[in-house]
């Protein structure tokens, strides 16, 4: 079996987070290889809508990460090809009644203190911002910093710009470790890649890669569906969603949750989300989820009531129980770093994640405090054998910390449910149909 040498870091996962890690690591002068068992953006990234959001995040570490990433995405838009489709269209959060609007005011106040531009919009403002929005809304908030990219293109162009060595269609079968337990590379069925550092950017499969390395990270899949309409004139100008979407994002419920999230795309189709449910990697079609999405979207934008749905698709968000990603070195396995568990925010948070991982790899000061994202904030596993090539079992834990549920009453409707938590984001604009969730 051929061995490749020398490398500074191997990144497992060619989604947008892995691509961003490769981009910033290579820019710092490191020699980088990227592996994925499928194609570029073959997992959660390819099933994403491309959201770059600050509007749905309460004041705290995730919002800090999102604000850092928003600035980095603006920089990247100036150097990556136009196919990335960076569109700073802004977001609009809509409240149907005064009680919900008051909750949004409190939510936005905390966001403003963190540096978010949140502008209250009355009923007349809503009509000006979105002429086709359903009438009789109490108000809402406009977020000019929200943006969108074409996620598969963003991942592909970031990876290409990194100049990293790329191996696709190769599943990692072992994380190699030396006698003292430190990482020394990875093995696939085709090759071994030797490197003193390995980054786990495997999305919903991040828990499996952690096991291969001899540790535990409780990443689980959280399923989500999206509807894609026929191409339309620009009837939806912003990323528009009902306030209860914010509560759904923060919820840990395993039940089917749905709230209207509607946005146009440069290609014309309108994307309609978003659902969340914990059903493991069950890829079966949920007619109940699709029915709710269609009804909620038509209630928010009546103009969509008679529009044809061309297709639907779904994927799996990489979920961690406290709704924060795991970013940084894992001291239980020297040389292993994690960059996964971003749930539905991975596309937006990818550049900041790449910058934090690169700071850890190079020993330079991080752009923000990485402590809230530390992989060991979850329950410690039993110590693993020093050779570390085995895949230990990993009991999942219920982590501490966690985000509180923000405005807009939680819609936690009944709904079939099951084993593992976690889930994924909707589609990439009326663009290509995504494959299955989870890279690595």
């Amino acid at each position: 079996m051929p061995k490749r040498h020398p490398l500074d870091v191997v990144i497992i996962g060619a989604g947008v987070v892995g691509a961003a890690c490769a981009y910033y690591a290579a820019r710092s002068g490191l020699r980088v290889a990227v592996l994925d068992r499928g194609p570029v953006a073959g997992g959660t990234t390819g099933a994403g809508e491309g959201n770059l959001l600050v509007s749905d995040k309460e004041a705290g570490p995730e919002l800090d990460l999102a604000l850092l990433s928003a600035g980095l995405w603006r920089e990247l838009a100036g150097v990556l090809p136009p196919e990335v489709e960076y569109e700073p269209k802004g977001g609009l959060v809509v409240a149907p009644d005064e009680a919900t609007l008051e909750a949004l005011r409190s939510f936005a106040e905390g966001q403003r203190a963190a540096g978010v531009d949140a502008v209250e919009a009355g009923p007349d403002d809503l009509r000006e911002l979105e002429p086709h929005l359903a009438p009789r809304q109490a108000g809402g908030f406009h977020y000019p910093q929200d943006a969108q990219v074409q996620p598969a293109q963003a991942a592909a162009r970031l990876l290409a710009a990194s100049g990293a060595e790329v191996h696709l269609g190769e599943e990692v079968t072992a994380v190699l470790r030396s006698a003292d337990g430190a990482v020394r590379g990875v093995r696939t069925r085709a090759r071994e890649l030797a490197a003193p550092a390995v980054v786990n950017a495997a999305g919903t499969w991040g828990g499996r890669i952690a096991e291969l390395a001899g540790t535990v990270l409780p990443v689980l899949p959280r399923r989500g569906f999206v509807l894609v309409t026929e191409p339309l004139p620009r009837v939806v100008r912003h990323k528009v969603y009902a306030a209860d979407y914010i509560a759904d994002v923060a919820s840990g419920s395993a039940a089917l949750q749905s709230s209207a999230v509607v946005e146009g795309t440069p290609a014309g189709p309108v994307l309609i989300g978003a659902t969340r449910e914990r059903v493991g990697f069950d890829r079966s079609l949920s007619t109940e989820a699709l029915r709710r999405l269609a009804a909620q979207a038509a209630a928010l934008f009546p103009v969509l009531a008679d529009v044809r749905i061309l297709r639907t698709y779904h994927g799996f968000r990489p979920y961690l129980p406290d709704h924060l990603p795991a970013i940084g070195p894992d001291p239980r396995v020297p040389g292993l770093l994690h960059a996964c568990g971003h749930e539905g925010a991975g596309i937006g948070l990818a550049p900041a994640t790449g910058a934090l991982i690169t700071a850890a790899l190079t020993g330079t000061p991080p752009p923000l405090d990485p402590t809230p994202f530390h992989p060991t904030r979850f329950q410690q596993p039993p110590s693993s054998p020093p050779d570390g090539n085995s895949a230990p079992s990993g009991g999942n834990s219920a982590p501490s910390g966690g985000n509180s549920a923000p405005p807009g009453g939680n819609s936690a409707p009944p709904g079939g449910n099951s084993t593992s938590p976690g889930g994924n984001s909707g589609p990439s604009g009326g663009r290509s149909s995504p494959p299955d969730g989870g890279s690595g």
Side-chain angles (χ1 to χ4, degrees):
M1 179 178 290
K3 294 186 179 182
R4 300 295 302 235
H5 207 77
L7 291 167
D8 294 307
V9 58
V10 174
I11 297 169
I12 304 172
V16 70
V17 172
C21 290
Y23 178 82
Y24 288 104
R27 273 189 33 173
S28 76
L30 298 181
R31 296 160 296 182
V32 182
V34 177
L35 286 164
D36 199 294
R37 67 177 193 169
V40 174
T44 300
T45 296
E49 293 170 281
N51 295 322
L52 316 179
L53 303 183
V54 298
S55 57
D56 63 343
K57 296 168 182 65
E58 65 177 329
E62 188 183 28
L63 180 57
D64 295 340
L65 196 66
L67 286 166
L68 173 61
S69 247
L72 293 174
W73 270 119
R74 286 192 291 272
E75 293 176 8
L76 289 168
V79 297
L80 295 177
E83 289 81 1
V84 169
E85 294 182 13
Y86 176 79
E87 189 180 8
K89 60 176 152 188
L92 187 63
V93 186
V94 179
D97 52 55
E98 192 59 38
T100 304
L101 183 58
E102 186 57 38
L104 276 179
R105 289 187 183 113
S106 176
F107 189 67
E109 184 178 353
Q111 292 176 313
R112 287 195 192 103
V116 173
D117 187 5
V119 182
E120 184 165 356
D124 291 341
D125 301 316
L126 292 181
R127 281 191 290 275
E128 184 175 344
L129 289 164
E130 290 290 346
H132 296 286
L133 190 67
R136 293 181 294 279
Q137 305 289 337
F141 275 82
H142 178 221
Y143 289 86
Q145 290 156 298
D146 282 356
Q148 185 181 27
V149 293
Q150 209 291 344
Q153 284 286 350
R157 303 297 175 165
L158 272 171
L159 194 54
S162 75
E165 177 182 325
V166 179
H167 302 280
L168 302 177
E170 294 189 22
E171 183 173 359
V172 172
T173 57
V175 175
L176 306 175
R177 295 169 65 185
S178 58
D180 63 0
V183 162
R184 60 180 179 86
V186 302
R187 179 185 298 133
T188 72
R189 290 181 178 85
R191 73 191 76 244
E192 287 185 3
L193 294 174
V198 169
V199 176
N200 173 15
T204 48
W205 295 98
R208 172 59 178 159
I209 297 301
E211 289 182 358
L212 287 177
T215 189
V216 171
L217 195 65
V219 181
L220 295 163
R222 198 176 186 191
R223 188 172 70 179
F225 286 88
V226 173
L227 303 177
V228 183
T229 76
E230 62 186 312
L232 300 170
R234 203 60 183 260
V235 296
V236 183
R237 300 175 178 178
H238 303 80
K239 167 91 173 183
V240 184
Y241 57 89
D244 57 358
Y245 170 76
I246 299 173
D248 285 357
V249 170
S251 170
S253 173
L256 174 62
Q257 298 173 298
S258 65
S259 50
V261 181
V262 184
E263 62 190 312
T265 66
V270 172
L271 307 181
I272 299 169
T275 67
R276 281 173 162 77
E277 57 186 330
R278 300 198 324 234
V279 293
F281 283 105
D282 180 359
R283 296 194 59 81
S284 60
L285 190 69
S286 169
T287 55
E288 173 62 14
L290 302 183
R291 183 193 65 78
R292 290 189 192 182
L293 288 180
Q296 290 169 331
L300 195 60
F301 282 94
V303 68
L304 299 177
D306 297 320
V307 167
R308 287 186 304 141
I309 299 297
L310 293 187
R311 62 187 177 89
T312 180
Y313 59 87
H314 60 284
F316 300 92
R317 301 175 184 87
Y319 165 97
L320 282 168
D322 64 356
H323 299 281
L324 292 177
I327 305 172
D330 190 330
R332 301 166 293 190
V333 183
L336 176 68
L337 299 90
H338 298 288
C340 55
H342 298 75
E343 201 172 332
I347 295 161
L349 301 180
T353 299
L356 284 176
I357 289 294
T358 298
L361 288 168
T362 57
T364 54
L368 54 73
D369 180 12
T371 305
F373 314 108
H374 201 281
T376 58
R377 68 186 187 269
F378 303 100
Q379 180 180 318
Q380 298 285 327
S383 57
S384 56
D387 72 313
N389 285 339
S390 59
S393 61
N396 289 338
S397 57
S400 60
N403 297 341
S404 59
N410 277 338
S411 64
N417 232 320
S418 67
T419 51
S420 45
N424 187 280
S425 61
S428 56
R431 304 132 173 170
S432 59
S433 173
D436 65 29
S439 60

